């Protein structure tokens, strides 16, 4: 083969990336390519290298023809700590791939992979999806096989919205649910979408956006991207040094960022990238509203396509008008690893086909298996006595809780200001949670639960001490059903009332009497909102909390009980005092 590969690293990469002659070659290769290249172009690569230089060693794979001219480029990086190879951008690059002259599409990537095997101690190299229209004929190259490099590729359809497809766009606009929620926003002040191109403006709001993103990702994937990556926020801000290569939009409502999107763009396409929304707006589907407003903006700005990128999120299918074929490759440098991967894939596919053939739902099976795993985890490490005790609870269980009521008009003399700082709907406080609530199997459950609360328009009350979430609780509006999980029952609260629920105090702050102070703040707020009654439900065994709420003026008005023996369940409830309840 005539293409020769050179690997350059560290400072030489940083020098080369700023040389005028090299920049011209780089831009030329990008212009002549049929595939998406913006993630492999200088603005993105230079910004990422500069922000992650403390974590990654810059690496360039350059291909030269017989005349010594550069005909191919792959910007890479080597993890200083983890000793692994990534594409520039790593997980923040929507697509992984290469740039080269068309006549070298069969040769350059093959020779590059051979050099990677020679110079880096890798067993496997997993790429993210390659850009649509990427040439994959080289996957079957005999040179790869001779050098014992084996490829597995995964094919999928990636959704795209054609911005000239008025039929599709009108169908999206006319969706009844979207129309109702859009009209809610239109009634608010300062509702508009803004494309931000200034680093200074981005700096003013990115702390809020980072919290919104971490909150949403904790609920979905139990991961806080900005919390775990100290470089991430500045990376996005610095990308605005090249506003023509990035599309950063913020949807505003009531002078607050309601939703945002930050993605790469070229002259005719915007690519779906980083996005999230204000969790307090969960009930109004702000993510969908953002896309509706983005479509209008992109059409005004002259873009032709909105590439929603692969990922399988349901909203992407809803907003797409066609699909592009894309491939995600995995390269194996040890033959046995490839064989094992093939066997695992075959077994997974066979099980999936069998499950479908018998009419079972894979999702239901997965959920059942997770429940069984969770139950078994509860017994792990327990003594025989505790195992027997826990098994007995599965055979026989009796739970009782008490409903307390505070009448604002009758018991208002108990209300007084408190010195403790209790915040309301400060959702970012939940990011300080230290994973100590036994009601949640994993940390992400807190955020999933919080989104449900916000979706029901509940109010969050939090206390932060020493940088830790010391206390949180929720206040729900009356006039609806409230779940009493302990006794598997429901309580229907009257109109003009509220229900206090889901209290949690971090163990290290259990002696601070925070719960009483938080409830006092909730009572004061309830009075200001012209509520007539406030309800709270407390387990019978929690005598300390029951005495505390009684000292605040709450009256025990109803008892709920649940008795379970094997599969039989008996529930009952009765009033404790004369009450309309």
């Amino acid at each position: 083969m005539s293409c020769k590969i050179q690997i350059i690293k560290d400072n030489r990469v940083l020098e080369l990336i700023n040389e005028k002659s090299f920049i011209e070659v780089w831009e030329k290769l990008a212009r002549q390519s049929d595939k998406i290249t913006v993630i492999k172009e200088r603005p993105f690569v230079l910004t990422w290298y500069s922000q992650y230089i403390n974590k990654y060693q810059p690496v360039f794979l350059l291909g030269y023809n017989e005349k010594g001219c550069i005909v191919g480029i792959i910007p890479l990086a080597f993890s200083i700590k983890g000793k692994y190879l990534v594409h520039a951008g790593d997980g923040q690059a929507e697509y992984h791939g290469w740039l080269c002259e068309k006549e070298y599409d069969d040769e350059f990537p093959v020779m590059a992979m051979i050099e990677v095997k020679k110079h880096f101690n890798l067993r496997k190299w997993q790429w993210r999806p390659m850009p649509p229209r990427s040439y994959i004929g080289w996957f079957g190259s005999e040179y790869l096989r001779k050098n014992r490099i084996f490829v597995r590729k995964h094919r999928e359809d990636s959704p795209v919205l054609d911005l000239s497809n008025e039929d599709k766009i009108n169908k999206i606009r006319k969706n009844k649910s979207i129309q109702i929620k859009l009209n809610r926003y239109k009634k608010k002040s300062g509702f508009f979408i803004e494309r931000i191109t200034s680093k200074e403006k981005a700096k003013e709001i990115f702390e809020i956006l980072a919290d919104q993103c971490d909150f949403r990702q904790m609920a979905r994937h139990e991961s806080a991207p900005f919390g775990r990556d100290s470089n991430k926020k500045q990376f996005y801000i610095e990308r605005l040094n090249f506003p023509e290569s990035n599309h950063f939009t913020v949807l505003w409502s009531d002078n607050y960022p309601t939703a945002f999107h930050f993605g790469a763009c070229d002259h005719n396409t915007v690519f779906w990238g980083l996005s999230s929304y204000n969790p307090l707006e969960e009930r109004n589907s702000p993510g969908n509203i953002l896309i509706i407003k983005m479509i209008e903006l992109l059409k005004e700005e002259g873009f032709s396509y909105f590439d929603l990128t692969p990922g399988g999120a349901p909203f992407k299918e809803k907003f797409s008008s066609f699909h592009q074929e894309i491939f995600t490759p995995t390269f194996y440098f040890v033959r046995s690893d490839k064989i094992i991967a093939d066997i695992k894939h075959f077994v997974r596919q066979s099980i999936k086909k069998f499950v479908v053939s018998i009419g079972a739902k894979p999702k239901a099976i997965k959920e059942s298996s997770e429940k069984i795993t969770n139950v078994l985890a509860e017994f792990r490490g327990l003594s025989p006595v505790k195992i027997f005790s826990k098994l007995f609870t599965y055979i026989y269980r009796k739970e009782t809780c008490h409903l307390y009521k505070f009448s604002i008009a009758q018991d208002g003399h108990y209300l007084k200001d408190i010195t403790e700082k209790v915040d309301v709907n400060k959702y970012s406080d939940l990011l300080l949670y230290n994973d100590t609530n036994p009601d949640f199997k994993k940390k992400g459950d807190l955020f999933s639960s919080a989104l449900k609360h916000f979706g029901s328009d509940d109010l969050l009350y939090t206390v932060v001490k020493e940088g830790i979430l010391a206390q949180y609780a929720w206040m729900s509006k009356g006039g609806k059903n409230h779940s009493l999980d302990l006794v598997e029952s429901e309580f229907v609260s009257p109109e003009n009332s509220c229900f206090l629920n889901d209290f949690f105090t971090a163990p290290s702050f259990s002696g601070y009497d925070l719960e009483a102070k938080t409830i006092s703040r909730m009572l004061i707020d309830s009075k200001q909102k012209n509520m007539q009654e406030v309800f709270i439900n407390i387990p019978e065994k929690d005598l300390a909390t029951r005495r505390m709420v009684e000292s605040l003026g709450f009256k025990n008005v109803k008892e709920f009980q649940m008795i379970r023996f094997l599969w039989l369940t008996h529930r009952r409830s009765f009033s404790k005092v004369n009450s309309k309840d």
Side-chain angles (χ1 to χ4, degrees):
M1 287 189 165
S2 59
C3 183
K4 305 298 180 183
I5 303 297
Q6 179 186 16
I7 298 178
I8 60 173
K9 303 176 182 178
D10 297 328
N11 291 335
R12 180 56 189 143
V13 173
L14 302 179
E15 293 170 0
L16 191 63
I17 207 171
N18 289 306
E19 290 181 7
K20 184 178 179 180
S21 58
F22 180 75
I23 294 172
E24 290 174 351
V25 172
W26 199 348
E27 291 175 347
K28 178 184 176 184
L29 290 176
R31 283 195 304 270
Q32 62 87 51
S33 179
D34 291 332
K35 60 181 180 284
I36 295 164
T37 64
V38 65
I39 303 298
K40 289 298 172 188
E41 294 180 42
R42 182 174 180 270
F44 182 90
V45 174
L46 175 62
T47 306
W48 191 80
Y49 279 161
S50 66
Q51 295 306 308
Y52 285 87
I53 195 68
N54 62 325
K55 295 180 179 179
Y56 291 93
Q57 174 190 48
V59 177
F60 263 9
L61 266 62
L62 303 179
Y64 293 85
N65 63 14
E66 295 174 335
K67 297 179 181 180
C69 299
I70 295 176
V71 295
I73 300 173
I74 309 182
L76 304 172
F78 194 73
S79 169
I80 297 171
K81 183 178 180 179
K83 305 300 181 185
Y84 56 85
L85 190 68
V86 300
H87 286 256
D90 195 13
Q92 296 171 78
E94 280 71 41
Y95 294 114
H96 287 176
W98 68 96
L99 298 176
C100 74
E101 292 185 1
K102 292 181 181 180
E103 61 184 284
Y104 290 91
D105 256 341
D106 251 325
E107 186 176 344
F108 169 67
V110 170
M111 299 307 295
M113 291 304 302
I114 293 172
E115 288 301 312
V116 163
K117 180 174 182 178
K118 288 179 181 177
H119 288 83
F120 300 96
N121 185 25
L122 304 177
R123 292 183 67 96
K124 182 177 80 169
W125 192 15
Q126 174 71 64
W127 288 21
R128 294 198 79 192
M130 300 191 305
R133 301 183 296 279
S134 291
Y135 177 70
I136 64 168
W138 62 278
F139 286 174
S141 169
E142 62 178 286
Y143 286 94
L144 289 179
R145 290 193 294 273
K146 286 180 178 178
N147 285 274
R148 301 185 67 78
I149 299 173
F150 311 95
V151 189
R152 277 188 58 84
K153 65 180 186 293
H154 171 70
R155 179 199 173 280
E156 62 183 310
D157 292 324
S158 182
V160 183
L161 175 62
D162 181 350
L163 295 168
S164 66
N165 189 332
E166 291 296 336
D167 290 340
K168 177 64 179 181
I169 293 173
N170 287 333
K171 183 178 179 181
I172 294 170
R173 286 172 177 155
K174 291 178 180 178
N175 179 282
K176 187 175 180 180
S177 176
I178 289 177
Q179 277 298 318
I180 291 172
K181 290 163 184 174
L182 183 57
N183 288 334
R184 286 180 192 165
Y185 278 111
K186 287 180 178 178
K187 293 176 182 178
K188 297 184 178 184
S189 63
F191 173 63
F192 65 98
I193 190 168
E194 175 186 19
R195 180 177 180 182
I196 295 176
T197 58
S198 160
K199 283 173 58 177
E200 288 67 31
K201 183 67 177 288
K203 288 177 183 177
E204 293 174 6
I205 60 172
F206 225 92
E207 197 68 46
I208 296 173
L209 305 185
D211 285 344
Q212 290 181 0
C213 182
D214 280 357
F215 194 103
R216 180 64 176 159
Q217 290 301 308
M218 282 299 301
R220 294 180 63 192
H221 305 296
E222 202 170 0
S223 172
F226 287 91
R228 74 169 189 267
D229 184 350
S230 59
N231 304 81
K232 193 178 186 75
K233 181 174 69 175
Q234 198 59 36
F235 166 64
Y236 279 94
I237 292 172
E238 292 299 323
R239 284 175 67 173
L240 292 179
N241 286 323
F242 307 94
E244 71 284 353
S245 298
N246 296 283
H247 202 276
F248 178 28
T249 50
V250 175
L251 184 69
W252 295 86
S253 178
D254 291 335
N255 299 312
Y256 193 81
T258 296
F260 79 94
H261 173 261
F262 197 128
C265 66
D266 56 26
H267 65 282
N268 75 337
T269 304
V270 170
F271 306 95
W272 186 261
L274 180 75
S275 178
S276 196
Y277 57 82
N278 178 2
L280 301 180
E281 296 287 334
E282 174 73 12
R283 65 188 290 265
N284 294 321
S285 302
N288 287 341
I289 304 303
L290 169 68
I291 297 177
I292 291 291
K293 301 302 290 183
M294 277 190 68
I295 291 171
E296 296 174 2
L297 179 62
L298 298 183
K299 287 173 66 67
E300 289 175 9
E301 293 179 334
F303 288 98
S304 301
Y305 300 100
F306 192 4
D307 183 342
L308 297 170
T309 68
F315 80 88
K316 294 185 177 183
E317 293 301 318
K318 180 166 62 177
F319 289 101
S320 65
S321 58
F322 70 96
H323 293 80
Q324 301 179 106
E325 181 183 59
I326 62 165
F327 293 90
T328 302
T330 304
F331 300 93
Y332 295 89
F333 301 99
V334 178
R335 185 177 183 82
S336 59
D337 290 352
K338 170 66 163 52
I339 294 172
I340 292 171
D342 287 341
I343 293 172
K344 287 181 177 179
H345 176 74
F346 174 77
V347 171
R348 281 195 298 266
Q349 291 301 110
S350 299
I351 292 174
K352 186 176 180 180
K353 288 179 181 178
F354 173 74
V355 168
V356 172
S357 70
I358 62 175
K361 296 181 179 179
K363 184 177 180 181
I365 292 176
K366 181 180 178 182
E367 290 174 351
S368 298
S369 116
E370 287 176 350
K371 287 180 181 178
I372 294 172
T373 301
N374 290 334
V375 169
L376 293 175
E378 292 180 13
F379 290 90
R380 192 175 296 121
L382 296 181
S383 65
V385 174
K386 289 184 177 180
I387 289 175
F388 177 79
S389 176
K390 189 170 270 298
L391 282 173
F392 183 75
T393 64
Y394 284 94
I395 299 171
Y396 176 81
R397 182 180 167 202
K398 179 181 178 181
E399 298 290 354
T400 304
C401 64
H402 297 268
L403 185 71
Y404 285 83
K405 180 177 75 172
F406 183 96
S407 298
I408 300 293
Q410 297 175 3
D411 305 315
H413 63 281
Y414 285 94
L415 300 180
K416 56 185 178 181
D417 289 332
I418 54 176
T419 56
E420 192 70 50
K421 185 179 185 297
V422 182
D423 289 304
V424 181
N425 272 358
K426 190 178 178 184
Y427 59 84
S428 58
D429 282 353
L430 294 185
L431 294 169
L432 302 174
Y433 170 64
N434 60 359
D435 199 16
T436 52
N437 189 341
D439 292 338
F440 296 133
K441 300 296 182 184
K442 53 186 181 180
K443 192 171 183 178
D445 292 342
L446 167 67
F447 297 88
S448 299
S449 173
L451 285 178
K452 291 178 182 177
H453 275 291
F454 288 137
S456 298
D457 211 18
D458 296 347
L459 295 178
L460 169 68
Y461 286 76
T462 54
V463 177
V464 172
K465 284 182 172 293
E466 301 172 12
I468 296 174
L469 180 63
Q471 166 89 60
Y472 71 79
W474 293 89
M475 183 163 74
S476 305
K477 290 181 179 179
K480 59 183 179 181
N481 291 355
H482 307 282
S483 295
L484 309 180
D485 294 336
L486 183 66
V487 291
E488 299 178 1
S489 300
E490 288 187 339
F491 158 63
V492 183
S493 61
E495 297 288 344
N496 295 321
S497 73
C498 60
F499 180 61
L500 314 185
N501 57 95
D502 287 1
F503 281 78
F504 170 73
T505 304
S508 55
F509 296 98
S510 58
Y512 280 73
D513 197 26
L514 293 182
E515 196 165 331
K517 294 173 181 177
T518 299
I519 291 175
S520 297
R521 170 65 191 274
M522 295 167 120
L523 292 176
I524 293 170
D525 289 354
S526 298
K527 182 179 181 181
Q528 292 175 347
K529 295 176 185 296
N530 297 317
M531 298 293 180
Q532 296 178 0
E533 299 169 322
V534 179
F535 295 89
I536 187 170
N537 180 61
I538 304 173
E540 183 172 71
K541 298 174 184 178
D542 192 354
L543 296 176
T545 302
R546 290 175 61 191
R547 285 195 291 267
M548 180 268 292
V549 298
E550 288 170 0
S551 72
L552 292 175
F554 281 85
K555 304 293 192 303
N556 191 344
V557 294
K558 200 166 189 177
E559 180 178 317
F560 293 83
Q561 192 175 86
M562 183 270 290
I563 300 174
R564 174 176 293 151
F565 179 71
L566 295 177
W567 59 87
L568 302 174
T569 302
H570 173 68
R571 301 181 185 86
R572 66 173 184 163
S573 64
F574 54 89
S575 298
K576 302 283 286 188
V577 296
N578 292 330
S579 171
K580 294 179 181 179
D581 298 60

